[in-house]
Amino acid sequence: MQRLEKLYEGKAKVLYSTDDPDLLIQYFKDEATAFDGKKKGIIQQKGVLNNKISSRIFRYLEGKGIKTHFVDMPTEREMVVKRLKIIPIEVVVRNIAAGSLSKRMGVEEGTPLKETIIEFYYKSDPLGDPMINEYHIRAFGLAGEKELREMEASALKVNRILSEFFLERGIILVDFKLEFGTHKGQVLLGDEVTPDGCRLWDKDTKEKMDKDRFRRDLGNVEEAYREVLKKVME
Ligand code: UDP
């Protein structure tokens, strides 16, 4: 399957059309950004590592009954996916306080939560992805009630599946961000599931194995992503 026209270039990926109107190719780049694009850099081989990590995770999730846009990984940097009409909402799931939640609530990173938190953010680069709630989603028509319930149920199920999957591999799934879209009337999990959009901590040392190493200049970013790939392939 060939890449045809470039449809969209994002911060970490490029989307191309193919000769099949229902399928697109996601091309994974090495570029990394943080803080709404204010910090930019390259993580060597990130595109290859993230494509492999995400493909493995999407396959695993499909096997557990989660509907995703994943179709195939034909090359190291390309993923064939179903064409989605993107729902402009980022769904964040949190098991442990970290990042913006720690800041907002004034609690130390690593503070356990009494229950899983789901948050919604409006996908808008110019606005810096503001946090919204279900009322905003309905009032602005960002998603229908049925789509919203399906996204929520899917996000919680993904959390249960991946928390166990990572823990078996010595990694704590602290929090993560998902994106969804519709394809032929079905809500599918889209985008990617990689250390760019998940917080992953070593179970024993609590060492960070995700994009916080880039955001916070902790070093050994490529090595951490490589280690995550090794673990998810086990
Ligand atoms: N996240 C993401 N894209 C975003 C914002 C957050 O992938 O635009 C992920 C992030 O990697 C983390 C989770 O969502 O795993 C929660 O992020 P948080 O709200 O704490 O924001 P951050 O501290 O990353 O700015």
Side-chain angles (χ1 to χ4, degrees):
M1 181 160 281
Q2 295 273 24
R3 298 201 299 257
L4 297 179
E5 190 193 345
K6 187 197 276 192
L7 300 179
Y8 172 79
E9 176 148 10
K11 286 172 271 192
K13 297 187 293 296
V14 191
L15 261 189
Y16 294 91
S17 62
T18 69
D19 56 14
D20 184 333
D22 284 335
L23 301 179
L24 303 178
I25 289 180
Q26 284 201 128
Y27 179 91
F28 285 74
K29 304 189 284 185
D30 291 343
E31 274 90 344
T33 62
F35 312 118
D36 294 326
K38 287 192 269 292
K39 179 180 172 121
K40 288 193 175 77
I42 298 277
I43 300 172
Q44 292 300 329
Q45 292 299 107
K46 177 169 81 85
V48 173
L49 296 166
N50 274 357
N51 190 25
K52 290 181 177 173
I53 291 167
S54 196
S55 293
R56 162 72 171 133
I57 290 177
F58 278 142
R59 280 197 180 107
Y60 186 78
L61 290 173
E62 285 279 351
K64 298 276 180 188
I66 301 288
K67 295 190 208 98
T68 80
H69 70 157
F70 178 82
V71 176
D72 192 18
M73 190 188 80
T75 74
E76 282 197 325
R77 286 181 185 270
E78 292 174 317
M79 184 190 287
V80 178
V81 295
K82 292 178 185 159
R83 183 191 284 263
L84 295 183
K85 191 168 171 294
I86 286 295
I87 299 168
I89 298 170
E90 300 192 342
V91 181
V92 168
V93 182
R94 302 178 181 274
N95 298 306
I96 293 174
S100 71
L101 178 66
S102 292
K103 221 184 233 168
R104 190 162 2 101
M105 297 303 291
V107 297
E108 212 181 308
E109 277 211 318
T111 305
L113 300 172
K114 288 194 170 65
E115 77 176 74
T116 298
I117 295 176
I118 290 199
E119 294 170 350
F120 301 108
Y121 294 84
Y122 176 41
K123 236 175 107 62
S124 164
D125 280 337
L127 298 177
D129 298 344
M131 186 156 84
I132 53 175
N133 65 30
E134 295 188 16
Y135 287 86
H136 299 91
I137 293 173
R138 284 190 293 267
F140 288 92
L142 304 181
E145 189 65 30
K146 184 168 163 280
E147 288 171 352
L148 183 55
R149 295 284 78 87
E150 282 186 40
M151 287 194 291
E152 186 181 28
S154 176
L156 288 172
K157 190 167 172 196
V158 167
N159 185 44
R160 287 193 296 273
I161 295 167
L162 290 186
S163 291
E164 184 184 332
F165 174 84
F166 278 113
L167 202 58
E168 284 168 359
R169 290 159 177 81
I171 295 172
I172 299 170
L173 180 59
V174 173
D175 58 32
F176 59 97
K177 183 262 296 174
L178 300 177
E179 294 185 27
F180 295 86
T182 54
H183 178 84
K184 297 181 177 172
Q186 271 199 323
V187 174
L188 305 183
L189 175 61
D191 194 45
E192 61 178 73
V193 181
T194 67
D196 272 11
C198 300
R199 285 198 167 90
L200 303 168
W201 294 355
D202 182 287
K203 181 170 81 70
D204 301 319
T205 65
K206 304 290 188 291
E207 206 181 1
K208 299 183 198 311
M209 306 172 72
D210 55 60
K211 203 162 103 178
D212 275 343
R213 301 203 71 82
F214 168 77
R215 295 187 187 101
R216 302 175 190 187
D217 294 318
L218 301 175
N220 297 330
V221 189
E222 184 191 340
E223 289 75 5
Y225 279 55
R226 210 170 274 289
E227 184 65 16
V228 171
L229 173 61
K230 198 182 119 209
K231 299 267 191 189
V232 301
M233 294 312 292
E234 279 172 8

